[in-house]
Amino acid sequence: MSGKPKLYYFDGRGKMESIRWLLAAAGVEFEEEFLETREQYEKLLQGGSLLFQQVPMVEIDGMKMVQTRAILSYIAAKYNLYGKDLKERALIDMYVGGTDDLMGFILMFPFLSAEDKEKQRAFIVQKATSRYFPVYEKVLKDHGQDFLVGNKFSWADVHLLEAILMVEEKKSDVLSGFPQLQAFKARLSSIPTIKKFLEPGSQRKPVPDDKYVETVRRVLRMYYDLKAN
């Protein structure tokens, strides 16, 4: 195994995308092994690599880590993206948790029927503009700093930018009423490591397509219908 973290997941966003974002923002190169068959997944299971029988799984620093939040917390702490003290870490956790809630509404979007997708699209935009974005708009306005916590780039900022771009894919002008977030998006997108990740040819994954959905369903044997909120 090389010194680079190795990511085990599908060739698509899902729960691994936030891990890709955080590693990229920290300037860390990583390798990926894409799950394309049920046999690959079962091999990981039989080898004891998946503690709770789930992916994402990341090999890093001699560990085989599972549970997305644990992986993200480890990366954030390792690369100094987790605040300077317990209070800042608590704020970062709080903001990341809120952003996670919003992103959760988007995670299963590709698996919905066409009719349910339209309902969910409206639901996502409504929740983003009425519950989540106003919080971050107020935080940035009240403290007048460039970043969410401690005036220093952190995991909370990376996570929020990822969420903003995901919601913009559902409604391109969703930030029209949020000038602080518009400026925040511009600032974050110009950070060299993030700018590189946003460029074509990076390891950032595109909007999930039918091929991704079918691969996930086949590997995980997901044959039930999902419903919108």
Side-chain angles (χ1 to χ4, degrees), residues 77 148 156 175 229:
L148 288 172
L175 290 186
N229 285 279

Side-chain angles (χ1 to χ4, degrees), residues 110-127:
F111 298 87
L112 299 174
S113 67
E115 180 182 354
D116 283 338
K117 279 182 179 178
E118 288 311 304
K119 295 177 184 177
Q120 189 71 350
R121 188 188 310 276
F123 179 85
I124 290 164
V125 171
Q126 189 271 327
K127 288 296 184 184

Side-chain angles (χ1 to χ4, degrees), residues 1-217:
M1 177 182 171
S2 72
K4 297 178 183 179
K6 187 170 182 179
L7 284 50
Y8 294 79
Y9 200 67
F10 307 98
D11 187 8
R13 290 184 182 175
K15 291 188 174 183
M16 186 64 88
E17 190 69 355
S18 292
I19 297 169
R20 297 184 186 106
W21 264 90
L22 195 56
L23 286 168
V28 179
E29 294 184 355
F30 56 88
E31 299 174 349
E32 300 191 71
E33 181 171 317
F34 298 127
L35 300 181
E36 298 176 344
T37 67
R38 178 71 184 182
E39 288 70 28
Q40 285 176 286
Y41 177 65
E42 289 180 346
K43 185 177 179 181
L44 289 175
L45 288 174
Q46 294 163 5
S49 296
L50 305 181
L51 190 62
F52 298 107
Q53 302 179 27
Q54 296 171 314
V55 288
M57 192 268 282
V58 175
E59 288 186 346
I60 184 171
D61 295 340
M63 299 183 291
K64 292 183 178 180
M65 294 194 70
V66 295
Q67 292 297 322
T68 308
R69 186 61 181 262
I71 297 167
L72 288 165
S73 297
Y74 183 83
I75 294 168
K78 179 178 174 70
Y79 296 105
N80 198 27
L81 295 170
Y82 211 174
K84 70 177 186 298
D85 55 32
L86 282 174
K87 287 186 177 180
E88 287 194 356
R89 183 168 292 194
L91 284 172
I92 290 169
D93 282 339
M94 193 164 61
Y95 295 149
V96 166
T99 306
D100 256 348
D101 290 344
L102 173 59
M103 292 169 74
F105 300 137
I106 304 172
L107 186 64
M108 299 310 295
F109 184 86
F111 298 87
L112 299 174
S113 67
E115 180 182 354
D116 283 338
K117 279 182 179 178
E118 288 311 304
K119 295 177 184 177
Q120 189 71 350
R121 188 188 310 276
F123 179 85
I124 290 164
V125 171
Q126 189 271 327
K127 288 296 184 184
T129 55
S130 66
R131 179 182 293 184
Y132 297 99
F133 288 173
V135 171
Y136 302 118
E137 181 78 5
K138 185 175 187 301
V139 169
L140 292 166
K141 184 176 181 180
D142 286 353
H143 65 37
Q145 298 172 345
D146 287 346
F147 305 108
L148 288 172
V149 179
N151 203 26
K152 183 180 178 183
F153 179 50
S154 77
W155 173 22
D157 301 304
V158 179
H159 216 49
L160 178 56
L161 178 61
E162 181 188 1
I164 287 171
L165 296 180
M166 290 170 73
V167 179
E168 283 186 330
E169 289 170 351
K170 303 292 178 274
K171 188 175 189 293
S172 60
D173 64 346
V174 73
L175 290 186
S176 60
F178 301 96
Q180 295 292 332
L181 288 180
Q182 291 177 40
F184 172 86
K185 175 191 167 186
R187 280 195 303 276
L188 267 289
S189 299
S190 67
I191 292 173
T193 53
I194 292 180
K195 183 178 181 181
K196 181 179 178 181
F197 190 60
L198 292 173
E199 291 174 350
S202 79
Q203 287 170 287
R204 183 186 180 210
K205 303 306 175 191
V207 175
D209 59 13
D210 290 343
K211 180 181 178 181
Y212 166 78
V213 169
E214 176 53 34
T215 300
V216 174
R217 285 186 182 276

